[in-house]
Amino acid sequence: MTALAHLKVVEYGSGITAPFCARLFADMGADVVKVETPDGDPTREWGPFPDDKPDREKSSTFHFLNAGKLDVVADLDRGDDLAFFHSLLGGADVLVENMSAGERRAWGLDFDALAAK
């Protein structure tokens, strides 16, 4: 058994900060679900790529940052996807995110809203 195997983590982040943080949880055994927008994490566009051929599914940067995670897609501007996201949070111990304060408030993900649940 690994140190954090008892934790369930939801990540809604892009770029490096949130994905790397959640990767550390996964490396320590936590069950991590990465939620991507329909457009995908921007790091899918970053190299290096095998044979220097850009391919969104083969970005070494994306795969490094997201190893050990379950990947799902949700558009939090859609009511059913936002409800799905909130259901994920209902079973989670940790939310790792790097969204703006305005996005958090609009989606009911600010501290006060989450603490009330």
Short mmCIF file of all heavy atoms in Angstrom, two decimals, residues 50-85:
data_model
loop_
_atom_site.label_atom_id
_atom_site.label_comp_id
_atom_site.label_asym_id
_atom_site.label_seq_id
_atom_site.Cartn_x
_atom_site.Cartn_y
_atom_site.Cartn_z
N PRO A 50 7.25 12.34 -30.25
CA PRO A 50 8.03 11.29 -30.92
C PRO A 50 8.30 11.68 -32.37
O PRO A 50 7.40 12.17 -33.08
CB PRO A 50 7.12 10.06 -30.84
CG PRO A 50 6.21 10.33 -29.69
CD PRO A 50 6.01 11.82 -29.67
N ASP A 51 9.53 11.50 -32.79
CA ASP A 51 9.96 11.83 -34.16
C ASP A 51 9.68 13.28 -34.53
O ASP A 51 9.57 13.61 -35.72
CB ASP A 51 9.31 10.89 -35.19
CG ASP A 51 9.65 9.44 -34.93
OD1 ASP A 51 10.82 9.16 -34.57
OD2 ASP A 51 8.75 8.59 -35.07
N ASP A 52 9.53 14.16 -33.53
CA ASP A 52 9.25 15.59 -33.76
C ASP A 52 8.01 15.83 -34.61
O ASP A 52 7.91 16.83 -35.31
CB ASP A 52 10.46 16.29 -34.40
CG ASP A 52 11.62 16.42 -33.43
OD1 ASP A 52 11.35 16.60 -32.23
OD2 ASP A 52 12.77 16.34 -33.88
N LYS A 53 7.04 14.90 -34.52
CA LYS A 53 5.78 15.04 -35.25
C LYS A 53 4.69 15.40 -34.25
O LYS A 53 4.25 14.55 -33.47
CB LYS A 53 5.43 13.75 -35.97
CG LYS A 53 6.41 13.39 -37.06
CD LYS A 53 6.03 12.09 -37.72
CE LYS A 53 7.11 11.70 -38.71
NZ LYS A 53 6.90 10.35 -39.22
N PRO A 54 4.23 16.67 -34.24
CA PRO A 54 3.19 17.08 -33.28
C PRO A 54 1.95 16.20 -33.36
O PRO A 54 1.45 15.90 -34.44
CB PRO A 54 2.87 18.52 -33.70
CG PRO A 54 4.13 19.00 -34.34
CD PRO A 54 4.68 17.80 -35.06
N ASP A 55 1.51 15.75 -32.21
CA ASP A 55 0.33 14.88 -32.09
C ASP A 55 -0.23 15.10 -30.68
O ASP A 55 0.46 14.80 -29.70
CB ASP A 55 0.71 13.43 -32.31
CG ASP A 55 -0.47 12.49 -32.27
OD1 ASP A 55 -1.49 12.78 -31.59
OD2 ASP A 55 -0.39 11.43 -32.92
N ARG A 56 -1.45 15.60 -30.57
CA ARG A 56 -2.06 15.91 -29.27
C ARG A 56 -2.10 14.71 -28.33
O ARG A 56 -2.14 14.88 -27.13
CB ARG A 56 -3.49 16.44 -29.48
CG ARG A 56 -3.55 17.79 -30.13
CD ARG A 56 -4.97 18.25 -30.36
NE ARG A 56 -5.84 18.14 -29.22
CZ ARG A 56 -5.91 19.02 -28.22
NH1 ARG A 56 -5.14 20.08 -28.22
NH2 ARG A 56 -6.74 18.85 -27.21
N GLU A 57 -2.11 13.53 -28.86
CA GLU A 57 -2.17 12.33 -28.03
C GLU A 57 -0.78 11.82 -27.63
O GLU A 57 -0.68 10.87 -26.86
CB GLU A 57 -2.94 11.21 -28.76
CG GLU A 57 -4.38 11.57 -29.07
CD GLU A 57 -5.19 11.93 -27.82
OE1 GLU A 57 -5.05 11.24 -26.80
OE2 GLU A 57 -5.94 12.92 -27.89
N LYS A 58 0.27 12.44 -28.14
CA LYS A 58 1.62 11.94 -27.89
C LYS A 58 2.56 12.97 -27.29
O LYS A 58 3.78 12.81 -27.35
CB LYS A 58 2.21 11.37 -29.18
CG LYS A 58 1.45 10.17 -29.69
CD LYS A 58 2.06 9.60 -30.94
CE LYS A 58 1.25 8.41 -31.44
NZ LYS A 58 1.81 7.89 -32.68
N SER A 59 2.03 14.03 -26.72
CA SER A 59 2.87 15.06 -26.12
C SER A 59 3.57 14.48 -24.89
O SER A 59 2.93 14.05 -23.93
CB SER A 59 2.02 16.26 -25.70
OG SER A 59 2.73 17.06 -24.78
N SER A 60 4.88 14.50 -24.91
CA SER A 60 5.64 14.01 -23.75
C SER A 60 5.37 14.85 -22.52
O SER A 60 5.30 14.33 -21.40
CB SER A 60 7.14 14.01 -24.06
OG SER A 60 7.42 13.12 -25.11
N THR A 61 5.21 16.16 -22.70
CA THR A 61 4.93 17.04 -21.57
C THR A 61 3.60 16.67 -20.92
O THR A 61 3.51 16.50 -19.71
CB THR A 61 4.90 18.52 -22.02
OG1 THR A 61 6.16 18.84 -22.60
CG2 THR A 61 4.61 19.45 -20.86
N PHE A 62 2.55 16.51 -21.75
CA PHE A 62 1.24 16.13 -21.22
C PHE A 62 1.31 14.79 -20.49
O PHE A 62 0.81 14.65 -19.38
CB PHE A 62 0.19 16.06 -22.34
CG PHE A 62 -1.15 15.62 -21.84
CD1 PHE A 62 -2.01 16.53 -21.25
CD2 PHE A 62 -1.53 14.29 -21.92
CE1 PHE A 62 -3.24 16.11 -20.75
CE2 PHE A 62 -2.76 13.88 -21.44
CZ PHE A 62 -3.62 14.78 -20.85
N HIS A 63 1.94 13.82 -21.10
CA HIS A 63 2.01 12.49 -20.48
C HIS A 63 2.82 12.50 -19.20
O HIS A 63 2.46 11.82 -18.23
CB HIS A 63 2.53 11.45 -21.47
CG HIS A 63 1.50 11.08 -22.49
ND1 HIS A 63 0.41 10.31 -22.20
CD2 HIS A 63 1.37 11.43 -23.78
CE1 HIS A 63 -0.34 10.17 -23.26
NE2 HIS A 63 0.21 10.85 -24.24
N PHE A 64 3.89 13.27 -19.15
CA PHE A 64 4.67 13.37 -17.91
C PHE A 64 3.83 13.95 -16.78
O PHE A 64 3.83 13.45 -15.66
CB PHE A 64 5.93 14.22 -18.12
CG PHE A 64 6.63 14.54 -16.84
CD1 PHE A 64 7.41 13.59 -16.21
CD2 PHE A 64 6.46 15.79 -16.23
CE1 PHE A 64 8.04 13.88 -15.00
CE2 PHE A 64 7.09 16.07 -15.02
CZ PHE A 64 7.88 15.12 -14.41
N LEU A 65 3.11 15.04 -17.08
CA LEU A 65 2.34 15.73 -16.04
C LEU A 65 1.10 14.95 -15.59
O LEU A 65 0.58 15.20 -14.50
CB LEU A 65 1.91 17.11 -16.53
CG LEU A 65 3.03 18.12 -16.73
CD1 LEU A 65 2.52 19.34 -17.47
CD2 LEU A 65 3.65 18.50 -15.39
N ASN A 66 0.63 14.03 -16.41
CA ASN A 66 -0.65 13.39 -16.13
C ASN A 66 -0.59 11.88 -15.99
O ASN A 66 -1.63 11.21 -15.98
CB ASN A 66 -1.65 13.81 -17.21
CG ASN A 66 -1.90 15.29 -17.16
OD1 ASN A 66 -2.52 15.79 -16.22
ND2 ASN A 66 -1.37 16.03 -18.11
N ALA A 67 0.60 11.35 -15.81
CA ALA A 67 0.74 9.90 -15.61
C ALA A 67 0.02 9.48 -14.34
O ALA A 67 0.01 10.20 -13.33
CB ALA A 67 2.22 9.52 -15.53
N GLY A 68 -0.63 8.35 -14.39
CA GLY A 68 -1.26 7.80 -13.21
C GLY A 68 -2.64 8.36 -12.90
O GLY A 68 -3.19 8.10 -11.83
N LYS A 69 -3.22 9.12 -13.83
CA LYS A 69 -4.53 9.74 -13.60
C LYS A 69 -5.56 9.15 -14.56
O LYS A 69 -5.24 8.75 -15.67
CB LYS A 69 -4.46 11.25 -13.87
CG LYS A 69 -3.45 12.00 -13.05
CD LYS A 69 -3.41 13.46 -13.48
CE LYS A 69 -2.27 14.22 -12.86
NZ LYS A 69 -2.21 15.60 -13.37
N LEU A 70 -6.80 9.15 -14.11
CA LEU A 70 -7.92 8.86 -14.99
C LEU A 70 -8.31 10.18 -15.63
O LEU A 70 -8.46 11.19 -14.93
CB LEU A 70 -9.09 8.28 -14.20
CG LEU A 70 -10.40 8.09 -14.97
CD1 LEU A 70 -10.22 7.02 -16.04
CD2 LEU A 70 -11.51 7.70 -14.02
N ASP A 71 -8.49 10.21 -16.94
CA ASP A 71 -8.79 11.44 -17.66
C ASP A 71 -10.24 11.43 -18.13
O ASP A 71 -10.67 10.47 -18.78
CB ASP A 71 -7.85 11.56 -18.86
CG ASP A 71 -7.85 12.92 -19.51
OD1 ASP A 71 -8.14 13.92 -18.84
OD2 ASP A 71 -7.53 12.98 -20.72
N VAL A 72 -11.00 12.47 -17.78
CA VAL A 72 -12.36 12.62 -18.26
C VAL A 72 -12.52 14.03 -18.82
O VAL A 72 -11.71 14.92 -18.53
CB VAL A 72 -13.42 12.37 -17.15
CG1 VAL A 72 -13.32 10.97 -16.61
CG2 VAL A 72 -13.31 13.38 -16.03
N VAL A 73 -13.56 14.22 -19.63
CA VAL A 73 -13.81 15.52 -20.26
C VAL A 73 -15.12 16.08 -19.74
O VAL A 73 -16.12 15.36 -19.65
CB VAL A 73 -13.87 15.37 -21.80
CG1 VAL A 73 -14.25 16.69 -22.45
CG2 VAL A 73 -12.55 14.87 -22.34
N ALA A 74 -15.11 17.36 -19.40
CA ALA A 74 -16.33 18.04 -18.97
C ALA A 74 -16.23 19.52 -19.31
O ALA A 74 -15.19 20.14 -19.12
CB ALA A 74 -16.56 17.87 -17.47
N ASP A 75 -17.31 20.06 -19.82
CA ASP A 75 -17.44 21.49 -20.10
C ASP A 75 -18.25 22.09 -18.96
O ASP A 75 -19.47 21.92 -18.91
CB ASP A 75 -18.13 21.69 -21.44
CG ASP A 75 -18.29 23.15 -21.82
OD1 ASP A 75 -18.04 24.04 -20.96
OD2 ASP A 75 -18.68 23.42 -22.96
N LEU A 76 -17.60 22.76 -18.03
CA LEU A 76 -18.27 23.24 -16.84
C LEU A 76 -19.26 24.37 -17.12
O LEU A 76 -20.01 24.75 -16.23
CB LEU A 76 -17.26 23.67 -15.77
CG LEU A 76 -16.30 22.57 -15.30
CD1 LEU A 76 -15.51 23.05 -14.09
CD2 LEU A 76 -17.01 21.27 -15.01
N ASP A 77 -19.31 24.84 -18.35
CA ASP A 77 -20.33 25.81 -18.73
C ASP A 77 -21.64 25.12 -19.12
O ASP A 77 -22.65 25.79 -19.33
CB ASP A 77 -19.85 26.69 -19.89
CG ASP A 77 -18.77 27.67 -19.45
OD1 ASP A 77 -18.87 28.18 -18.31
OD2 ASP A 77 -17.83 27.91 -20.23
N ARG A 78 -21.63 23.81 -19.22
CA ARG A 78 -22.85 23.03 -19.50
C ARG A 78 -23.38 22.48 -18.18
O ARG A 78 -22.63 21.89 -17.40
CB ARG A 78 -22.54 21.87 -20.44
CG ARG A 78 -22.18 22.27 -21.85
CD ARG A 78 -21.81 21.06 -22.68
NE ARG A 78 -22.60 19.89 -22.29
CZ ARG A 78 -23.43 19.23 -23.09
NH1 ARG A 78 -23.56 19.61 -24.34
NH2 ARG A 78 -24.11 18.19 -22.65
N GLY A 79 -24.66 22.65 -17.96
CA GLY A 79 -25.27 22.26 -16.69
C GLY A 79 -25.05 20.81 -16.32
O GLY A 79 -24.71 20.50 -15.17
N ASP A 80 -25.21 19.89 -17.28
CA ASP A 80 -25.05 18.47 -16.95
C ASP A 80 -23.59 18.12 -16.66
O ASP A 80 -23.31 17.33 -15.77
CB ASP A 80 -25.63 17.57 -18.04
CG ASP A 80 -25.06 17.85 -19.43
OD1 ASP A 80 -24.52 18.94 -19.67
OD2 ASP A 80 -25.17 16.95 -20.29
N ASP A 81 -22.66 18.75 -17.37
CA ASP A 81 -21.24 18.50 -17.09
C ASP A 81 -20.84 19.09 -15.74
O ASP A 81 -20.05 18.49 -15.00
CB ASP A 81 -20.36 19.10 -18.19
CG ASP A 81 -20.36 18.27 -19.47
OD1 ASP A 81 -21.13 17.29 -19.56
OD2 ASP A 81 -19.60 18.61 -20.40
N LEU A 82 -21.38 20.27 -15.41
CA LEU A 82 -21.08 20.87 -14.11
C LEU A 82 -21.64 20.00 -12.99
O LEU A 82 -20.97 19.78 -11.98
CB LEU A 82 -21.64 22.29 -14.02
CG LEU A 82 -21.35 23.05 -12.73
CD1 LEU A 82 -19.85 23.16 -12.47
CD2 LEU A 82 -22.00 24.43 -12.78
N ALA A 83 -22.85 19.45 -13.19
CA ALA A 83 -23.43 18.54 -12.19
C ALA A 83 -22.56 17.29 -12.04
O ALA A 83 -22.33 16.81 -10.92
CB ALA A 83 -24.85 18.17 -12.57
N PHE A 84 -22.06 16.76 -13.16
CA PHE A 84 -21.15 15.61 -13.11
C PHE A 84 -19.90 15.96 -12.32
O PHE A 84 -19.45 15.19 -11.46
CB PHE A 84 -20.79 15.17 -14.54
CG PHE A 84 -19.63 14.23 -14.61
CD1 PHE A 84 -19.75 12.92 -14.17
CD2 PHE A 84 -18.40 14.66 -15.07
CE1 PHE A 84 -18.66 12.05 -14.23
CE2 PHE A 84 -17.31 13.80 -15.12
CZ PHE A 84 -17.45 12.49 -14.70
N PHE A 85 -19.34 17.14 -12.58
CA PHE A 85 -18.14 17.57 -11.87
C PHE A 85 -18.40 17.66 -10.37
O PHE A 85 -17.61 17.18 -9.56
CB PHE A 85 -17.65 18.91 -12.42
CG PHE A 85 -16.35 19.35 -11.85
CD1 PHE A 85 -15.15 18.80 -12.28
CD2 PHE A 85 -16.29 20.32 -10.86
CE1 PHE A 85 -13.93 19.20 -11.74
CE2 PHE A 85 -15.09 20.74 -10.32
CZ PHE A 85 -13.91 20.17 -10.77
#
